[in-house]
Amino acid sequence: MKIAVEVKGLRKSFVSGWWKRKKKVALKGVDLTVPEGAFWGILGPNGAGKTTLLSVISSLLTPEEGEVRVFGKDIRTHGYEICRHINLSSGHANFLWSMTVRENLAYYAMLYGLSGRPLAAKLDELLDLFELKDFAKVRFDELSTGTKQKLSLSKALVNNPKLLLLDEPSVGLDPDVARRMRETIRQVHDRNGTTILMTTHNMREAEQLCEEVAFIKDGTIKAFGKPLDLKRHLRLGDTIRISYRGSLSLPPLQDTPWVYALQVDDSSCRILVDDHHQRLPKVLELFIGQEISIQDIRIQESDLEDVFIAFSR
Ligand SMILES: Nc1ncnc2c1ncn2[C@@H]1O[C@H](COP(=O)(O)OP(=O)(O)OP(=O)(O)O)[C@@H](O)[C@H]1O
Ligand SMILES: [Mg+2]
């Protein structure tokens, strides 16, 4: 397995204030190994250290302690070389306000050495990919938040990065634009095998796009894994709610390891199970065995949002 990013014992602090100096430790020994081609999420509450982590990996900030390697190379000694293969898009990006969308894109593409026909072809490709053609001649300061965001994403692809760092890519986007933006990001990942590290506060977005997620809080990674495994680890489970007619007995479920909680009333029951896809047939077998007539079945799945809340507490 080839490694795209290797972070070991990373510490980073900020010192602010000119009279009374205040020190804030943003990252307190972060370890993370990201394989090439992965699409991972970095989640966590405000101020957890997510943007700081992406900024260090993209060499915008220097590490204070620890080691950061990108495609096997140390960012302290090979920063220039690494920068050719990575790019970052921030949800709060700022561009040269008086230049148009096309001019801004051209500016960044030229920084990576593009000129002439290859430059024009690249700009056309990106304007097309992010549906920016109609805005090509519009000045940055006249754009809506969503269009600025699209420009930020297209700018991040001018160098065909092998590693793409996305800091809250869908912040401020309407649901329709956000969905199309997610599809485009997934397309970039699937077609080019781009390694992507993305921060987001949108848990549905993380669940849809990210194969694995790291939860960061107070500058340390608290948990890491596939969304489903994290749900299992926290025993969050899914609730199966059944309304029925008749006299029900559910003792066989009481000592079952995949049942986390059980509550039976006169005409309804709530069963908290590890995974409803697997367990619903078994639960229904019990009802059928006792010839109980089922009136209604409702399932409430726990999701990454529940995992987020559990880790953020
Ligand atoms: N330039 C800076 N000067 C001083 N403190 C900073 C600076 N940048 C970040 N911090 C502090 O470092 C900590 C981590 O900030 P960071 O921006 O990485 O958090 P985050 O997880 O991205 O939060 P959010 O979800 O709000 O974007 C915060 O306490 C923040 O106040
Ligand atoms: Mg941030």
Side-chain angles (χ1 to χ4, degrees):
M1 181 180 68
K2 284 191 176 170
I3 304 297
V5 181
E6 192 165 22
V7 177
K8 276 190 199 158
L10 175 63
R11 267 181 81 85
K12 179 73 192 171
S13 39
F14 296 100
V15 178
S16 55
W18 62 275
W19 179 245
K20 276 192 175 171
R21 309 278 281 165
K22 267 195 306 188
K23 188 174 173 178
K24 168 78 201 177
V25 186
L27 298 174
K28 302 173 183 166
V30 169
D31 296 309
L32 189 70
T33 305
V34 186
E36 270 190 35
F39 195 149
W40 285 7
I42 310 284
L43 312 180
N46 293 128
K50 304 178 295 295
T51 299
T52 308
L53 178 60
L54 292 195
S55 303
V56 175
I57 294 172
S58 62
S59 81
L60 283 173
L61 293 173
T62 48
E64 192 178 306
E65 261 177 49
E67 208 180 304
V68 179
R69 291 183 165 273
V70 178
F71 300 115
K73 300 207 163 116
D74 192 320
I75 55 155
R76 285 181 218 252
T77 51
H78 293 75
Y80 181 72
E81 210 178 318
I82 292 165
C83 278
R84 304 184 69 83
H85 303 293
I86 63 182
N87 215 320
L88 170 86
S89 170
S90 164
H92 307 279
N94 240 328
F95 286 78
L96 291 165
W97 66 271
S98 60
M99 287 197 338
T100 67
V101 166
R102 195 177 175 95
E103 286 166 350
N104 265 302
L105 269 184
Y107 170 79
Y108 284 97
M110 283 155 77
L111 290 179
Y112 288 96
L114 284 183
S115 62
R117 276 198 198 156
L119 171 68
K122 188 77 203 165
L123 300 187
D124 289 340
E125 177 201 321
L126 292 174
L127 292 172
D128 198 31
L129 186 65
F130 287 96
E131 300 166 358
L132 281 170
K133 275 187 171 162
D134 292 344
F135 300 93
K137 291 183 182 160
V138 180
R139 263 176 24 182
F140 179 74
D141 64 341
E142 291 170 2
L143 299 174
S144 73
T145 308
T147 314
K148 284 178 179 166
Q149 192 77 302
K150 287 181 183 179
L151 172 62
S152 171
L153 282 163
S154 50
K155 171 250 131 192
L157 297 180
V158 289
N159 60 328
N160 298 323
K162 279 163 66 187
L163 171 65
L164 182 60
L165 304 163
L166 303 175
D167 196 8
E168 298 189 41
S170 60
V171 68
L173 299 185
D174 77 47
D176 183 40
V177 174
R179 185 176 49 81
R180 276 183 285 147
M181 187 274 308
R182 279 197 282 274
E183 279 165 13
T184 312
I185 292 175
R186 195 201 292 273
Q187 205 180 318
V188 168
H189 171 257
D190 295 350
R191 264 201 218 150
N192 311 339
T194 314
T195 310
I196 301 183
L197 275 183
M198 177 180 84
T199 76
T200 179
H201 286 290
N202 181 336
M203 294 302 116
R204 264 186 70 197
E205 178 170 283
E207 208 154 2
Q208 277 172 16
L209 290 176
C210 304
E211 298 141 6
E212 314 235 354
V213 292
F215 273 92
I216 185 165
K217 191 186 166 198
D218 295 331
T220 45
I221 292 183
K222 301 282 182 202
F224 172 77
K226 293 187 173 51
L228 188 64
D229 292 342
L230 290 174
K231 261 166 56 176
R232 289 225 172 102
H233 172 73
L234 290 169
R235 290 172 69 89
L236 288 172
D238 303 324
T239 303
I240 301 175
R241 207 183 286 247
I242 302 179
S243 304
Y244 57 88
R245 233 185 256 148
S247 142
L248 175 71
S249 150
L250 287 176
L253 286 183
Q254 243 136 24
D255 303 317
T256 314
W258 47 264
V259 175
Y260 297 159
L262 182 63
Q263 191 188 336
V264 185
D265 298 330
D266 281 351
S267 58
S268 71
C269 68
R270 281 167 47 142
I271 310 162
L272 184 65
V273 298
D274 56 356
D275 176 12
H276 76 273
H277 294 289
Q278 270 188 59
R279 311 306 181 188
L280 184 61
K282 291 201 185 339
V283 172
L284 293 182
E285 264 171 32
L286 278 172
F287 279 77
I288 294 162
Q290 294 176 44
E291 293 182 1
I292 305 272
S293 115
I294 293 173
Q295 308 292 302
D296 188 33
I297 302 177
R298 278 167 206 229
I299 288 169
Q300 195 185 340
E301 270 185 85
S302 65
D303 54 22
L304 256 191
E305 196 155 302
D306 300 304
V307 176
F308 183 94
I309 290 164
F311 276 114
S312 302
R313 264 187 217 129

